[in-house]
Amino acid sequence: MAPTLSLPGFVNVHSHAFQRALRGRAAGHDFWAWRDGMLAEAERHSPETVHALYADVYGEMLAAGFTAVGEFHYLGAAEARAAAAAAGEVGIAFVCLHVAYGRGGLDRMRQPSVAAYLTEVEALASEGIAVGLAPHSVRACPRDWLEEIGSYAAREGLPLHVHACEQPREIEECLAEHGCRPIELLARTGCLGDRTIVVHATHADGGELDLLASHGSAICVCPTTEADLGDGFLPVMRVLHRGIPLCIGSDSNVRIDPFEELRELEGIARRQSGQRGVLSTDDLYAIGGELGARALGLEAGAVAAIEIDLGHRSLSGIATDHVRAALIAGCAADVVSR
Ligand SMILES: [Zn+2]
């Protein structure tokens, strides 16, 4: 049997498992055209189809070295239970980031009121499902919903995950409706805190990044999806300069590979700075692992370890001291042997 190296498992902080069905589909010319295709895919699901597809996707995550996942879920409460059951069968640690959707999207995504939304979250939690709060975005949640969810998260000590500043149009619409940018609105509505994870922040400006830093909030970066959707690049250097914590997610699951997410993150930083080794190998593993666990409110012990196949051909000739760095620099997730 080939020797292996044991490493902490990776944490996938942001997943929409059903979107893996869109892998390889052209689905239009920009993010908004892709979104139309995504909504059509979302429309067709039932608890049964979620159970089957998610078990398959979570199996792919586990094989790739993600041993915990935060499912940013907006297909309905019955489907949330099906997703949790699929994760349990596959053996991946699971947190349901149950989504609040007040307007737009599909009927199945929306709750009639923020009180109804919080009742759904409490029902899931009472069944033993680990939960976090997830106002979908400033697009999908009116201001009073954000205020209510922000205060509930603070009171209950729950993680609060929210998409923000992924696309320029979302920022323009927020400015038109509220007279401020998305992360400014999150601050004004009490949604920023040290358990808040802003997903993407691709087009956040300096003032918004200052707000994240001053509130102790983190950013979940999803580089393979952000590339696939034409979102843009996280301003990594400006994020690091402010000491904002990072974590990673496979988001649309167009690709499921923690090494590639981390390689892309460091690659963006190198392209922006003209420097190498902007994030150290230890920094990158922390972003892939312990900071992700914190973002999901998981104890470190809840994230199972993984084994790396040291006999894999992509590690051939690599000195033992360089293996951890080589995994991020040049390997795909098929080096994971469990
Ligand atoms: Zn997302």
Side-chain angles (χ1 to χ4, degrees), residues 315 317-324:
L315 290 170
I318 304 296
T320 309
D321 284 356
H322 298 158
V323 166
R324 285 174 75 249

Side-chain angles (χ1 to χ4, degrees), residues 10-331:
F10 292 100
V11 178
N12 187 357
V13 173
H14 188 75
S15 162
H16 308 280
F18 80 91
Q19 293 177 9
R20 196 195 54 168
L22 300 171
R23 182 183 284 173
R25 282 199 218 162
H29 300 293
D30 66 4
F31 173 88
W32 303 99
W34 170 86
R35 181 172 176 272
D36 291 340
M38 181 273 286
L39 291 174
E41 176 63 24
E43 186 76 293
R44 77 174 183 88
H45 278 290
S46 64
E48 293 71 31
T49 61
V50 162
H51 195 130
L53 174 62
Y54 285 34
D56 196 24
V57 176
Y58 294 153
E60 184 180 349
M61 287 181 194
L62 264 187
F66 283 122
T67 61
V69 62
E71 181 65 35
F72 198 98
H73 178 82
Y74 49 71
L75 298 184
E79 287 77 5
R81 294 178 176 92
E89 285 165 23
V90 169
I92 192 167
F94 176 86
V95 177
C96 181
L97 301 166
H98 193 56
V99 170
Y101 218 108
R103 59 188 184 183
L106 304 174
D107 276 352
R108 69 177 309 151
M109 298 173 175
R110 293 191 295 268
Q111 297 88 10
S113 66
V114 67
Y117 162 70
L118 292 170
T119 300
E120 285 183 1
V121 171
E122 288 172 358
L124 294 169
S126 74
E127 294 164 29
I129 298 172
V131 295
L133 300 172
H136 179 276
S137 56
V138 301
R139 198 158 35 83
C141 285
R143 185 179 186 120
D144 59 325
W145 282 48
L146 294 172
E147 288 168 345
E148 185 68 28
I149 293 167
S151 73
Y152 188 93
R155 200 162 63 238
E156 300 294 325
L158 285 170
L160 188 159
H161 291 228
V162 56
H163 295 118
C165 298
E166 179 176 10
Q167 284 279 329
R169 186 172 118 187
E170 167 206 337
I171 296 170
E172 290 157 18
E173 289 174 356
C174 188
L175 281 165
E177 180 179 2
H178 300 287
C180 63
R181 298 169 64 89
I183 293 171
E184 291 171 339
L185 182 63
L186 294 174
R188 291 179 191 181
T189 53
C191 283
L192 294 188
D194 62 6
R195 292 187 182 84
T196 300
I197 309 299
V198 168
V199 182
H200 303 303
T202 313
H203 300 282
D205 72 5
E208 291 179 291
L209 295 176
D210 287 344
L211 285 170
L212 295 181
S214 65
H215 286 87
S217 304
I219 294 171
C220 180
V221 61
C222 309
T224 62
T225 291
E226 289 155 7
D228 185 63
L229 298 183
D231 288 341
F233 296 98
L234 182 74
V236 182
M237 302 308 294
R238 296 194 287 139
V239 168
L240 297 178
H241 175 69
R242 289 167 172 83
I244 299 168
L246 288 166
C247 51
I248 57 168
S250 67
D251 194 359
S252 69
N253 296 302
V254 65
R255 180 82 171 115
I256 297 177
D257 184 332
F259 301 114
E260 188 163 334
E261 301 297 346
L262 295 169
R263 178 161 59 242
E264 279 299 301
L265 173 61
E266 168 65 10
I268 292 166
R270 292 185 186 196
R271 291 177 181 107
Q272 289 174 336
S273 68
Q275 302 291 309
R276 304 185 71 249
V278 177
L279 287 152
S280 71
T281 298
D282 286 346
D283 290 340
L284 289 165
Y285 278 97
I287 289 167
E290 64 194 62
L291 294 177
R294 187 189 302 167
L296 292 178
L298 292 171
E299 303 290 329
V303 181
I306 58 172
E307 299 294 323
I308 301 298
D309 172 15
L310 294 175
H312 192 282
R313 65 189 301 166
S314 61
L315 290 170
S316 166
I318 304 296
T320 309
D321 284 356
H322 298 158
V323 166
R324 285 174 75 249
L327 288 166
I328 295 175
C331 293

